[in-house]
Amino acid sequence: MVRPRILILGGTSEARLLAEALAARDECDVLLSLAGRTEKPATQPVPVRIGGFGGAAALADFLKAGGYDLLIDATHPFAERISANAPFAAETAGIATIALRRPEWQRLPGDRWREVQSIAEAIEALGPSPRHVFLATGRQGAHHAEAAPQHHYLVRSVDPVEPPLVLDNVDYVLDRGPFTLDGECDLLRQHDIDAIVAKNSGGAATYAKIEAARLLGIEVMMVTRAPASTVKAVDTVEAALAAIDHLFPPAMKRGV
């Protein structure tokens, strides 16, 4: 039987769900790669490797050495370095590649978004007057808040911000989504939040803060995504499975 070998670059719920679906089919060999930024990653349904590859050329070498047939980039929409390396590595290794990207959130009536290109630009856009800011970008990039110490910050992340921010007015919340609308409204009210810094990650797990901001009339500094690469992209696990079936028809999987 010919069993395609697939490397999934993960770290998202979509990556885990795709790995779970492929494991249930048992028609291919799957390895899920995690960057290792989260101290206690969720349990995964397939074998896992943790850590970076050391650049695009090293990723290409890994793909060739492992005899992989397909590379799936299911990393976070803001994991820009690995997403830039993935198509180069796949092309170098002579294999196909697919990007699994959840759709961006769309502005709805009542949203007070100011779109910015980076966390640093978002912090600057808060202005000179002291504000109560919910920094909801995770610990990656939280240090940009140090450029505007006049604000009061609430920083939420899965793991602690290390080293702690050099700020007089900062509170930390350690929590992992999915979050509820009621819970987010309570959090924003409790800390008198009047501005949120968020990345346009898409998906349902962290959307409640955007809904809560709309409901409470809170301004959101929305960090937009970098332009998408030219890699074939799908936006659901089902579409990814269909693309895999197109690349590796069932007859091939059975060895017919």
Side-chain angles (χ1 to χ4, degrees):
M1 176 183 287
V2 179
R3 288 177 65 87
R5 290 178 60 77
I6 299 174
L7 176 64
I8 301 176
L9 305 175
T12 59
S13 57
E14 289 83 4
R16 181 181 58 77
L17 291 170
L18 177 59
E20 193 173 71
L22 290 171
R25 289 180 169 197
D26 194 27
E27 296 170 337
C28 51
D29 295 323
V30 179
L31 178 66
L32 181 62
S33 177
L34 302 177
R37 292 196 178 98
T38 302
E39 292 176 4
K40 296 178 181 177
T43 302
Q44 304 292 340
V46 297
V48 173
R49 74 172 292 281
I50 294 180
F53 291 93
L59 175 55
D61 289 342
F62 183 91
L63 293 168
K64 287 187 280 191
Y68 287 93
D69 302 291
L70 173 64
L71 175 64
I72 299 177
D73 176 11
T75 57
H76 190 275
F78 284 86
E80 292 161 11
R81 183 177 300 172
I82 187 66
S83 291
N85 288 344
F88 173 86
E91 184 177 357
T92 302
I95 67 172
T97 183
I98 298 169
L100 174 53
R101 285 280 177 275
R102 64 179 82 129
E104 293 178 301
W105 296 320
Q106 299 299 316
R107 187 194 301 259
L108 296 179
D111 283 328
R112 296 177 57 206
W113 291 8
R114 189 184 305 189
E115 295 191 335
V116 293
Q117 303 301 309
S118 66
I119 297 174
E121 187 180 328
I123 297 297
E124 185 178 353
L126 292 168
S129 300
R131 305 182 70 175
H132 288 77
V133 182
F134 180 24
L135 190 58
T137 59
R139 61 177 180 168
Q140 302 292 324
H143 64 277
H144 287 293
E146 294 174 348
Q150 70 271 27
H151 305 303
H152 293 68
Y153 293 97
L154 173 65
V155 181
R156 182 168 66 194
S157 57
V158 175
D159 298 314
V161 177
E162 295 290 351
L165 301 181
V166 184
L167 292 168
D168 291 332
N169 300 304
V170 58
D171 293 311
Y172 299 97
V173 174
L174 297 182
D175 206 352
R176 183 197 299 264
F179 301 104
T180 66
L181 177 57
D182 287 345
E184 296 292 67
C185 285
D186 288 345
L187 183 72
L188 297 176
R189 289 190 182 107
Q190 179 185 343
H191 292 270
D192 296 321
I193 298 298
D194 58 67
I196 297 175
V197 176
K199 296 176 179 177
N200 195 332
S201 302
T206 61
Y207 184 63
K209 65 175 175 281
I210 307 301
E211 291 183 288
R214 183 187 310 131
L215 191 66
L216 299 176
I218 294 173
E219 186 176 25
V220 178
M221 307 301 174
M222 184 66 79
V223 181
T224 60
R225 298 184 189 180
S229 71
T230 56
V231 170
K232 174 182 173 59
V234 294
D235 59 13
T236 65
V237 170
E238 292 74 21
L241 292 170
I244 293 167
D245 284 340
H246 182 74
L247 287 168
F248 310 114
M252 176 185 172
K253 296 175 193 169
R254 291 195 304 267
V256 174

